[in-house]
Amino acid sequence: MKNIVKKLIKKKLKISFAESCTGGMLAASITSINGASKIFNIGFITYSNQAKINILKVNKNIIKKYGAVSAECCEAMVKNLAKISKAQINVSVTGIAGPNGGTKNKPVGLVYIAVKKFNKIVITKNIFKQKTRNSIQKASVKRALEIVSSLIWAIFYNFFILFRLFFEKHLQFYLNQIQMIFPLTNLKT
């Protein structure tokens, strides 16, 4: 978690969470790190369907049609969280932590995680095989943070690629400018 907080601080990015089955554990994992106030924006625990509808403005028809534990609900949660929080990175989690509540189609351990980074959304369907409620919650938090970490790295990598492309495109121009100043220098790309 420390690395994620450091990366977010370095990139000057804010993060927000909308949690259901993790019950605030995701936000707690970030806010327990020194410096989190620089990057943590908002955390909602929208455990009930009514909270998802009232706080996150998830359309009740999505919950009726697909259920609260669905990719569609998770996506609506993260999209609406982003509208509320204005953070660059938003994360939503909804699932069945057990030990009860699972069905054949939606077993205990089924957790959807959505991460919205700027305008891109990644939604993962996870089936955690851990046996206890707490271990499923912890596994969900771990997976969400892994996704966030990989997306932060992708931001850096994309910037590096853009910088490299710009530099390569303009390299000859700058070498020509330098050669005009220092005409005896034999500079080649």
Side-chain angles (χ1 to χ4, degrees):
M1 269 71 69
K2 277 186 181 181
N3 287 339
I4 291 174
V5 171
K6 285 180 184 179
K7 286 178 189 177
L8 290 169
I9 290 170
K10 187 175 181 180
K11 303 286 176 212
K12 297 180 181 173
L13 299 172
K14 296 277 187 182
I15 193 166
S16 292
F17 302 110
E19 301 180 65
S20 185
C21 66
T22 49
M25 289 174 73
L26 186 53
S29 71
I30 293 294
T31 59
S32 66
I33 306 298
N34 185 37
S37 62
K38 295 176 183 172
I39 55 96
F40 184 76
N41 196 25
I42 286 177
F44 292 119
I45 302 170
T46 53
Y47 200 77
S48 70
N49 291 350
Q50 207 55 48
K52 290 173 183 68
I53 293 165
N54 292 340
I55 296 170
L56 292 176
K57 307 301 181 201
V58 172
N59 188 315
K60 64 183 173 185
N61 293 326
I62 289 174
I63 294 174
K64 280 183 184 176
K65 185 173 181 178
Y66 303 103
V69 179
S70 65
E72 293 80 4
C73 183
C74 198
E75 180 179 14
M77 288 169 67
V78 81
K79 282 181 176 179
N80 293 336
L81 172 64
K83 289 176 187 174
I84 296 166
S85 75
K86 308 290 189 236
Q88 296 85 5
I89 298 175
N90 294 275
V91 182
S92 66
V93 181
T94 185
I96 303 167
N100 303 317
T103 65
K104 183 179 178 186
N105 293 333
K106 294 186 179 185
V108 169
L110 172 63
V111 178
Y112 289 93
I113 300 169
V115 180
K116 185 174 189 295
K117 178 192 78 169
F118 300 110
N119 292 322
K120 294 184 181 182
I121 298 175
V122 174
I123 302 171
T124 63
K125 177 181 179 180
N126 307 273
I127 299 180
F128 298 108
K129 300 292 185 185
Q130 285 82 347
K131 301 294 180 200
T132 67
R133 180 178 187 80
N134 190 258
S135 61
I136 290 169
Q137 291 172 315
K138 285 180 179 180
S140 300
V141 168
K142 182 179 180 211
R143 179 71 179 123
L145 293 174
E146 287 169 352
I147 296 166
V148 168
S149 183
S150 69
L151 290 175
I152 295 168
W153 187 85
I155 292 168
F156 169 76
Y157 181 75
N158 289 341
F159 174 78
F160 175 75
I161 294 297
L162 288 173
F163 177 77
R164 183 173 171 219
L165 290 173
F166 174 83
F167 185 74
E168 286 175 356
K169 182 178 178 183
H170 296 94
L171 179 61
Q172 191 58 52
F173 170 78
Y174 291 118
L175 289 175
N176 290 341
Q177 296 300 312
I178 292 169
Q179 209 163 17
M180 286 172 48
I181 297 169
F182 304 105
L184 299 176
T185 307
N186 186 13
L187 298 174
K188 293 185 181 180
T189 56

